[in-house]
Amino acid sequence: MATLTCRQLSKTYPGGHRAVEALDLTLEAGELMVIVGPSGCGKSTLLRMVAGLEAISGGQLIIGETVANALEPAERGIAMVFQNYALYPHMSVFDNMAYALKLQRRPRAEIERRVHEAATLLGIDALLERRPRQLSGGQRQRVAMGRAIVREPTVFLFDEPLSNLDAALRVQMRLEIRRLQQRLGASMLYVTHDQVEAMTLADRLVVMRDGRIEQIGTPMALFEKP
Ligand code: ADP
Ligand code: ADP
C-alpha cells in the first residue's frame, strides 16, 4: 500500500558533503508525513530528490511499484508546493493552474474541468482571471496548491508552504490542507520548521538530523518521549 519508499537513499553534493545518508522511509497511501529538523539537516534535499529536482547519489526511490531514480520529474506523478509559491507572474490564475496540463497536451475540456474542480475545492473560483500580483498571500498559496491538485499526483510534496503567511492565516491554511488531504485521499510529504504545524498536521512525524532520521512516530508518541 506504500506510495513512496526510500531505501538507503543518499545524497552527496559535489565537494563531498553528505546531505542525506542511507535514509529508509515509507510513506503509506493517504498518509500525511511531516518532516522536521534543524536547518541544514537535509529536508529540502530529500524532497528535491523525491521530486526529481536533485540527482540521487545512492539507494532507491520507489514510487508505487516503480523504481523512480531515473524518471524525469514529470513522469513521477508527484507535485510540489513551494514556499515562495513560484507562480508565473504574467499568467492569470487559470493559466497558472492549467500550465502543467497544457504541457501534457491534455484536451481543452479536461483542462477546464480539472482547473474548475480544483478552484472550487480551494474556494478560488472567483479569482481565475486575476494575476498573481492581484492576490493576497493566502490566495497565492491556494493557487499554488491548485497547480499541484490539477495534476492529480500520487504524492504531494510541501516545502514550508505556509512560512510566508501570517499566524492567523497559517492556522487557517493548516486546516485547509488537512481537509484537502482527506477529500483527495492524498499522500503528502510535508517539510516545516514550525513545531505546532508539525504536531497538528502529521499522521507521522519524522525528525531529521545530519541527513539521518533521528526519530519517527505519531506526534503523540514522540511528544510523550522524554
Ligand atoms: P534543510 O532543508 O534541512 O535546511 P538542505 O537539504 O537544504 O537542508 O541542506 C542539507 C545540507 O546540504 C546543508 O548542509 C546544505 O548546506 C547542503 N547543501 C544544500 N544544497 C547544496 C548544494 N546545492 N551544494 C552543496 N551543498 C548543499
Ligand atoms: P512544472 O512542470 O513542475 O510545473 P515548470 O517546468 O513549469 O515545472 O517550472 C519549474 C519551476 O520553475 C516551477 O515551479 C515554476 O513555477 C518555476 N518557474 C518557471 N518559470 C517561471 C516564471 N516565469 N515565473 C515564476 N516561476 C517560474
Side-chain angles (χ1 to χ4, degrees):
M1 270 294 271
T3 33
L4 191 81
T5 306
C6 302
R7 282 200 194 131
Q8 299 283 298
L9 198 71
S10 302
K11 176 67 187 185
T12 306
Y13 281 110
H17 183 77
R18 292 147 78 98
V20 174
E21 292 213 44
L23 195 110
D24 286 310
L25 194 66
T26 298
L27 179 70
E28 302 295 342
E31 183 175 34
L32 200 171
M33 179 179 274
V34 177
I35 303 175
V36 294
S39 182
C41 72
K43 305 183 295 296
S44 295
T45 301
L46 173 61
L47 281 199
R48 292 168 57 80
M49 282 195 287
V50 171
L53 303 174
E54 195 74 71
I56 291 167
S57 309
Q60 276 189 329
L61 173 71
I62 299 156
I63 300 172
E65 317 251 284
T66 309
V67 177
N69 291 44
L71 290 185
E72 293 296 323
E75 298 168 340
R76 295 185 179 206
I78 278 177
M80 188 150 167
V81 180
F82 298 91
Q83 172 177 164
N84 59 7
Y85 318 133
L87 302 179
Y88 301 109
H90 56 287
M91 288 185 197
S92 68
V93 167
F94 181 97
D95 287 336
N96 264 283
M97 289 171 65
Y99 186 74
L101 302 180
K102 284 183 183 166
L103 285 185
Q104 295 171 3
R105 304 192 178 282
R106 303 267 175 187
R108 182 79 204 165
E110 182 188 341
I111 293 177
E112 298 217 338
R113 177 181 57 75
R114 287 210 209 174
V115 169
H116 281 107
E117 279 175 10
T120 301
L121 200 59
L122 292 159
I124 54 173
D125 306 73
L127 307 177
L128 289 173
E129 298 311 317
R130 292 210 199 161
R131 299 293 166 98
R133 70 177 137 74
Q134 299 169 304
L135 303 174
S136 70
Q139 290 169 338
R140 283 179 203 178
Q141 185 54 60
R142 282 167 203 268
V143 176
M145 295 207 285
R147 282 211 320 191
I149 290 169
V150 296
R151 299 168 67 166
E152 301 179 352
T154 317
V155 180
F156 287 85
L157 304 178
F158 290 92
D159 192 1
E160 311 232 9
L162 308 185
S163 55
N164 288 329
L165 304 178
D166 66 41
L169 208 45
R170 275 209 300 276
V171 172
Q172 190 188 329
M173 292 305 290
R174 247 188 252 147
L175 294 173
E176 189 86 351
I177 287 170
R178 252 289 171 211
R179 187 179 64 84
L180 277 175
Q181 190 235 357
Q182 279 156 8
R183 287 279 292 276
L184 301 169
S187 310
M188 296 179 169
L189 207 53
Y190 189 108
V191 164
T192 182
H193 266 114
D194 184 328
Q195 291 287 348
V196 178
E197 197 167 298
M199 297 291 287
T200 48
L201 272 177
D203 293 319
R204 270 194 305 163
L205 200 54
V206 174
V207 183
M208 279 184 73
R209 180 180 295 274
D210 296 336
R212 299 170 185 275
I213 293 175
E214 190 174 63
Q215 294 189 77
I216 180 165
T218 63
M220 201 57 104
L222 293 195
F223 193 64
E224 281 170 354
K225 275 189 188 151

